[in-house]
Amino acid sequence: MAAELHVELVAADRSVWSGEATLVVARTTSGDIGVMPGHQPLLGVLESGPVTIRTSEGGTVVAAVHGGFISFADNKLSMLAEIAELADEIDVQRAERALESAKSAEDGAAERRAEVRLRTVSVR
């Protein structure tokens, strides 16, 4: 079994993160999933939520992902997201304002996006 897998996290508008990892945890429509080197091939639908990547160097990369697909084969994991942003890119105050605004407007989708962004920042 290989000791690492190659990960590509791509949003509709850009490549978000690419590199070698030992573990990736993501939320799918079937529940949370952890993918390690040697995992069985899979294809799934991503739910909105934080994605955690344990890098081969021992670091952790966390991203807020809003919908998309996850695919794994031959130790290559691809996550194609509608929207994705690294935890380090998230402006907490802006996300808090967006959450309050979404609650006031009773916009459930915007509220979920803001909550995912805030959860992602708290994970890092």
Side-chain angles (χ1 to χ4, degrees), residues 22-106:
T22 59
L23 172 68
V24 176
V25 178
R27 175 158 294 155
T28 70
T29 54
S30 300
D32 288 352
I33 186 168
V35 179
M36 297 175 68
H39 195 283
Q40 292 295 314
L42 74 93
L43 179 62
V45 177
L46 289 169
E47 288 279 321
S48 290
V51 169
T52 303
I53 303 167
R54 303 276 184 228
T55 69
S56 296
E57 294 82 34
T60 302
V61 174
V62 182
V65 172
H66 306 281
F69 298 93
I70 184 170
S71 170
F72 181 77
D74 300 323
N75 275 334
K76 293 182 178 90
L77 179 74
S78 298
M79 290 176 283
L80 308 173
E82 294 171 24
I83 301 169
E85 56 191 321
L86 297 172
D88 295 340
E89 299 171 342
I90 296 172
D91 180 334
V92 175
Q93 292 175 339
R94 182 173 173 225
E96 289 171 342
R97 287 191 307 271
L99 178 59
E100 291 307 313
S101 176
K103 285 180 178 178
S104 296
E106 296 182 9

